[in-house]
């Protein structure tokens, strides 16, 4: 074994975070485009332009979400079981909304009836907004604490309700998610389309970017002043065989800020979120959407890592029985499993990145209404 157990536990926390960031940057961009589709496209041809900017990429981008789910299942099986039990109906809501995307992309243009196409346009809108909202609300609930506990057999029991998931703070987190992905999608459309769609996208990039900054700031203030966090008071050695019930966890005010107090360099993460989004807006307004897309991606990364750094080492904190909380050090698979998965990731993730980059490079162009008219056979 090249890495000891403790190091592998941390490596997989980082790798899962990378997969979630990859999903937000790529497939989140597609969701943002879907969210804007009914508003930026004023007629059928313009909406086909918008759809064709992501048509060649959306299904490949969705692989990031599937891979992240598989990684959580393999690396953190107890987290997977507990989270998907507790968030079952919310996950089904997101899943059913995601169903509208492949069907909408494939069947929207098969029939020329305006009512048919309009219905699928709104279906793609739902497929973009609802999953983004649900994922953000889920992150908000992690910071609030999830009402579940483990019995002596380490079986998880969820005691909350679907309605309780929509706590006001969780809704703010959901707004952050929707706004930042909409910003990503708007800047992408500004980059890949011509006027008048590009000009409309620039306006929406400004609106969504400012909403992201405002909601992110509000969530941070609320988290620091009004929400109790969790802290590990005692636990076995970090490399020990996982046993979630072998630790002691306390519920304390401002505990989510502890890592920022103890490691001031982590303040770079929220700074990256604010600065990245601010630069994205500025670059978009200056008609430099390429730079804006890079800045927006960095802003997304900063926002996601801000939440991860605040919670570390917690993955799924329990609000009803804090000692049942699942953390990086005790929610993982065996040393052998993590090692095999590490080498699989080391081989295949670079291949996926290389292939994704190649597809974007080969299909990089502005999509125009004239192209849609000349090539009416286009799938989208």
């Amino acid at each position: 074994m090249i890495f000891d157990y403790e190091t592998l536990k941390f490596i997989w926390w980082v790798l899962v975070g990378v997969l979630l960031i990859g999903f937000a940057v790529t497939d989140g961009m597609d969701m943002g485009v879907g969210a804007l589709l009914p508003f930026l496209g004023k007629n059928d041809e313009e909406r086909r332009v918008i759809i064709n900017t992501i048509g060649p990429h959306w299904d490949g981008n969705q692989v990031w979400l599937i891979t992240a789910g598989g990684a959580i299942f393999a690396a953190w099986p107890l987290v997977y079981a507990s989270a998907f039990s507790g968030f079952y109906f919310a996950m089904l809501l997101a899943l059913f909304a995601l169903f509208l995307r492949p069907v909408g992309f494939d069947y929207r243009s098969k029939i020329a009836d305006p009512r048919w196409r309009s219905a699928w346009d709104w279906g793609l809108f739902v497929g973009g907004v609802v999953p983004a909202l649900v994922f953000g609300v889920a992150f908000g609930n992690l910071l609030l604490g999830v009402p579940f506990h483990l019995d002596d057999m380490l079986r998880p029991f969820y005691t909350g309700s679907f309605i309780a998931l929509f706590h006001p703070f969780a809704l703010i987190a959901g707004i952050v998610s929707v706004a930042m992905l909409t910003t990503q999608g708007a800047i992408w459309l500004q980059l890949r389309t011509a006027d008048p769609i590009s000009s409309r996208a620039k306006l929406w990039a400004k609106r969504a970017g400012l909403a992201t900054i405002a909601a992110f700031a509000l969530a941070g203030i609320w988290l620091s002043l009004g929400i109790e966090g969790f802290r590990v008071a005692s636990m076995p050695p970090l490399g020990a065989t996982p046993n979630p019930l072998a630790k002691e966890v306390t519920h304390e005010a401002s505990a989510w800020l502890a890592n920022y107090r103890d490691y001031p360099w982590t303040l770079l993460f929220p700074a990256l979120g604010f600065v990245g989004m601010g630069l994205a807006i500025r670059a978009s307004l200056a008609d430099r959407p390429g730079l804006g897309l890079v800045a927006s991606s960095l802003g997304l990364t900063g926002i996601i890592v801000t939440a991860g750094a605040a919670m570390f080492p917690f993955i799924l904190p329990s609000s009803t029985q804090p000692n049942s909380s699942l953390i990086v050090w005790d929610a993982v698979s065996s040393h052998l499993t993590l090692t095999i998965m590490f080498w699989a990731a080391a081989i295949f993730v670079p291949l996926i990145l290389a292939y994704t980059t190649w597809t974007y490079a080969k299909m990089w162009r502005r999509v125009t209404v004239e192209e849609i008219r000349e090539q009416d056979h286009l799938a989208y």
Side-chain angles (χ1 to χ4, degrees):
M1 304 289 184
I2 292 181
F3 298 110
D4 59 43
Y5 200 13
E6 176 186 341
T7 302
L8 274 174
K9 291 176 181 180
F10 179 75
I11 286 174
W12 272 100
W13 179 79
V14 173
L15 287 176
V16 170
V18 168
L19 292 172
L20 293 176
I21 291 169
F23 161 68
V25 170
T26 58
D27 201 37
M29 175 182 69
D30 301 336
M31 290 181 180
V33 170
L36 292 169
L37 177 62
F39 309 106
L40 295 189
K42 301 304 182 181
N43 55 50
D44 181 64
E45 289 178 335
E46 290 184 354
R47 292 184 180 184
R48 289 187 69 187
V49 167
I50 292 171
I51 293 172
N52 273 275
T53 64
I54 58 173
H57 309 293
W58 72 268
D59 48 353
N61 292 341
Q62 198 158 281
V63 169
W64 288 98
L65 176 61
I66 298 169
T67 305
I72 292 172
F73 173 75
W76 302 333
L78 196 52
V79 172
Y80 185 93
S82 302
F84 277 71
S85 295
F87 298 152
Y88 186 74
F89 290 108
M91 292 297 179
L92 280 181
L93 178 62
L95 184 61
F96 289 147
L98 287 171
F99 285 165
L100 295 172
R101 298 177 70 205
V103 182
F105 284 126
D106 287 341
Y107 289 101
R108 179 196 181 278
S109 295
K110 301 299 184 185
I111 300 177
D113 188 337
R115 292 171 298 179
W116 170 268
R117 294 188 174 184
S118 178
W120 284 117
D121 290 340
W122 285 104
L124 292 172
F125 168 82
V126 171
V129 172
V130 171
L133 179 65
V134 169
F135 296 148
V137 167
F139 258 97
N141 275 276
L142 294 182
L143 291 163
L144 291 167
V146 181
F148 81 99
H149 65 274
L150 304 174
D151 67 6
D152 293 339
M153 301 291 291
L154 298 184
R155 293 176 300 183
F157 292 88
Y158 180 74
T159 55
S161 66
F162 175 72
I163 299 299
L165 294 176
F166 296 94
H167 183 281
F169 174 80
L171 289 175
I172 293 295
I175 291 172
V176 173
S177 176
V178 173
M180 70 182 189
L181 298 187
T182 300
T183 304
Q184 187 84 344
I187 297 177
W188 170 259
L189 287 175
Q190 184 184 358
L191 179 65
R192 293 294 308 279
T193 63
D195 282 332
I197 300 173
S198 181
S199 295
R200 296 175 196 145
K202 178 167 66 174
L203 176 61
W204 275 94
K206 177 183 176 181
R207 292 171 176 173
L210 290 175
T212 302
I213 292 172
F216 185 42
L218 178 59
I221 293 170
W222 195 336
L223 188 69
S224 61
L225 299 179
I227 294 178
E228 292 186 340
F230 297 80
R231 184 179 69 86
V232 178
S234 64
M235 63 173 294
L238 301 183
T241 300
N243 181 4
L245 297 179
K247 63 180 180 300
E248 181 183 352
V249 175
T250 58
H251 201 194
E252 303 176 2
S254 300
W256 288 143
L257 303 181
N259 286 335
Y260 292 106
R261 289 193 299 265
D262 296 340
Y263 308 99
W265 61 268
T266 56
L267 292 170
L268 292 173
F269 301 137
L272 180 62
F274 286 115
V275 173
M277 281 297 164
L279 288 176
I281 295 171
R282 185 164 184 174
S284 173
L285 292 175
D287 291 319
R288 300 185 65 187
L291 177 61
L293 191 65
V294 173
S296 176
S297 299
L298 292 174
L300 292 181
T301 301
I303 291 171
I304 294 171
V305 179
T306 294
M311 291 182 59
F312 185 84
F314 288 89
I315 305 171
L316 194 68
S318 170
S319 59
T320 53
Q321 190 181 92
N323 289 353
S324 292
S325 298
L326 302 176
I327 65 175
V328 171
W329 314 117
D330 63 21
V332 296
S333 296
S334 68
H335 192 179
L336 178 60
T337 298
L338 296 185
T339 300
I340 293 173
M341 287 173 54
F342 171 80
W343 288 115
I347 294 170
F348 290 107
V349 170
L351 290 176
I352 294 171
L353 286 171
Y355 173 75
T356 302
T357 302
W358 180 82
T359 59
Y360 275 94
K362 285 294 183 180
M363 302 178 191
W364 192 264
R365 71 187 191 283
R366 285 185 182 270
V367 184
T368 64
V369 171
E370 289 72 26
E371 177 183 350
I372 296 297
R373 291 171 180 167
E374 292 172 2
Q375 303 183 42
D376 192 57
H377 62 280
L378 288 173
Y380 306 111

PDB file of all heavy atoms in Angstrom, residues 39 129 141 159 178 183 197 205 340:
ATOM      1  N   PHE A  39     -36.521  32.306 -21.283  1.00  0.00           N
ATOM      2  CA  PHE A  39     -36.424  33.757 -21.154  1.00  0.00           C
ATOM      3  C   PHE A  39     -35.492  34.392 -22.182  1.00  0.00           C
ATOM      4  O   PHE A  39     -35.709  35.530 -22.599  1.00  0.00           O
ATOM      5  CB  PHE A  39     -35.949  34.118 -19.741  1.00  0.00           C
ATOM      6  CG  PHE A  39     -36.751  33.446 -18.658  1.00  0.00           C
ATOM      7  CD1 PHE A  39     -36.223  32.395 -17.927  1.00  0.00           C
ATOM      8  CD2 PHE A  39     -38.050  33.845 -18.395  1.00  0.00           C
ATOM      9  CE1 PHE A  39     -36.965  31.766 -16.946  1.00  0.00           C
ATOM     10  CE2 PHE A  39     -38.811  33.222 -17.419  1.00  0.00           C
ATOM     11  CZ  PHE A  39     -38.267  32.170 -16.692  1.00  0.00           C
ATOM     12  N   VAL A 129     -33.721  23.967 -13.108  1.00  0.00           N
ATOM     13  CA  VAL A 129     -33.896  24.693 -11.853  1.00  0.00           C
ATOM     14  C   VAL A 129     -34.100  23.759 -10.663  1.00  0.00           C
ATOM     15  O   VAL A 129     -33.478  23.940  -9.605  1.00  0.00           O
ATOM     16  CB  VAL A 129     -35.079  25.677 -11.970  1.00  0.00           C
ATOM     17  CG1 VAL A 129     -35.403  26.294 -10.610  1.00  0.00           C
ATOM     18  CG2 VAL A 129     -34.757  26.775 -12.966  1.00  0.00           C
ATOM     19  N   ASN A 141     -29.078  21.708   4.495  1.00  0.00           N
ATOM     20  CA  ASN A 141     -29.478  20.810   5.577  1.00  0.00           C
ATOM     21  C   ASN A 141     -28.281  20.126   6.228  1.00  0.00           C
ATOM     22  O   ASN A 141     -28.324  19.795   7.413  1.00  0.00           O
ATOM     23  CB  ASN A 141     -30.473  19.770   5.056  1.00  0.00           C
ATOM     24  CG  ASN A 141     -31.890  20.289   5.062  1.00  0.00           C
ATOM     25  OD1 ASN A 141     -32.576  20.244   6.081  1.00  0.00           O
ATOM     26  ND2 ASN A 141     -32.328  20.796   3.917  1.00  0.00           N
ATOM     27  N   THR A 159     -35.404  10.501  11.113  1.00  0.00           N
ATOM     28  CA  THR A 159     -36.591  10.858  11.888  1.00  0.00           C
ATOM     29  C   THR A 159     -37.196  12.192  11.454  1.00  0.00           C
ATOM     30  O   THR A 159     -38.084  12.713  12.123  1.00  0.00           O
ATOM     31  CB  THR A 159     -36.246  10.922  13.388  1.00  0.00           C
ATOM     32  OG1 THR A 159     -35.147  11.832  13.580  1.00  0.00           O
ATOM     33  CG2 THR A 159     -35.844   9.551  13.907  1.00  0.00           C
ATOM     34  N   VAL A 178     -28.932  27.757  -7.299  1.00  0.00           N
ATOM     35  CA  VAL A 178     -29.607  28.105  -8.555  1.00  0.00           C
ATOM     36  C   VAL A 178     -28.958  29.325  -9.197  1.00  0.00           C
ATOM     37  O   VAL A 178     -28.705  29.359 -10.414  1.00  0.00           O
ATOM     38  CB  VAL A 178     -31.107  28.365  -8.306  1.00  0.00           C
ATOM     39  CG1 VAL A 178     -31.778  28.903  -9.572  1.00  0.00           C
ATOM     40  CG2 VAL A 178     -31.802  27.085  -7.847  1.00  0.00           C
ATOM     41  N   THR A 183     -25.670  31.785 -13.429  1.00  0.00           N
ATOM     42  CA  THR A 183     -24.577  32.650 -13.866  1.00  0.00           C
ATOM     43  C   THR A 183     -23.660  31.907 -14.825  1.00  0.00           C
ATOM     44  O   THR A 183     -23.281  32.431 -15.890  1.00  0.00           O
ATOM     45  CB  THR A 183     -23.755  33.140 -12.656  1.00  0.00           C
ATOM     46  OG1 THR A 183     -24.618  33.788 -11.717  1.00  0.00           O
ATOM     47  CG2 THR A 183     -22.663  34.099 -13.088  1.00  0.00           C
ATOM     48  N   ILE A 197     -29.156  37.098 -28.688  1.00  0.00           N
ATOM     49  CA  ILE A 197     -29.145  36.187 -27.549  1.00  0.00           C
ATOM     50  C   ILE A 197     -27.973  36.499 -26.628  1.00  0.00           C
ATOM     51  O   ILE A 197     -28.105  36.515 -25.394  1.00  0.00           O
ATOM     52  CB  ILE A 197     -29.073  34.717 -28.030  1.00  0.00           C
ATOM     53  CG1 ILE A 197     -30.280  34.392 -28.902  1.00  0.00           C
ATOM     54  CG2 ILE A 197     -29.009  33.772 -26.832  1.00  0.00           C
ATOM     55  CD1 ILE A 197     -30.203  33.022 -29.547  1.00  0.00           C
ATOM     56  N   ALA A 205     -26.412  37.285 -16.849  1.00  0.00           N
ATOM     57  CA  ALA A 205     -25.194  36.967 -16.104  1.00  0.00           C
ATOM     58  C   ALA A 205     -24.991  37.971 -14.968  1.00  0.00           C
ATOM     59  O   ALA A 205     -24.596  37.608 -13.853  1.00  0.00           O
ATOM     60  CB  ALA A 205     -23.991  36.967 -17.044  1.00  0.00           C
ATOM     61  N   ILE A 340      -7.850   0.493  -4.112  1.00  0.00           N
ATOM     62  CA  ILE A 340      -8.228   0.070  -5.463  1.00  0.00           C
ATOM     63  C   ILE A 340      -8.942   1.203  -6.187  1.00  0.00           C
ATOM     64  O   ILE A 340      -8.658   1.510  -7.361  1.00  0.00           O
ATOM     65  CB  ILE A 340      -9.124  -1.178  -5.401  1.00  0.00           C
ATOM     66  CG1 ILE A 340      -8.315  -2.377  -4.870  1.00  0.00           C
ATOM     67  CG2 ILE A 340      -9.704  -1.494  -6.788  1.00  0.00           C
ATOM     68  CD1 ILE A 340      -9.150  -3.605  -4.613  1.00  0.00           C
TER      69      ILE A 340
END
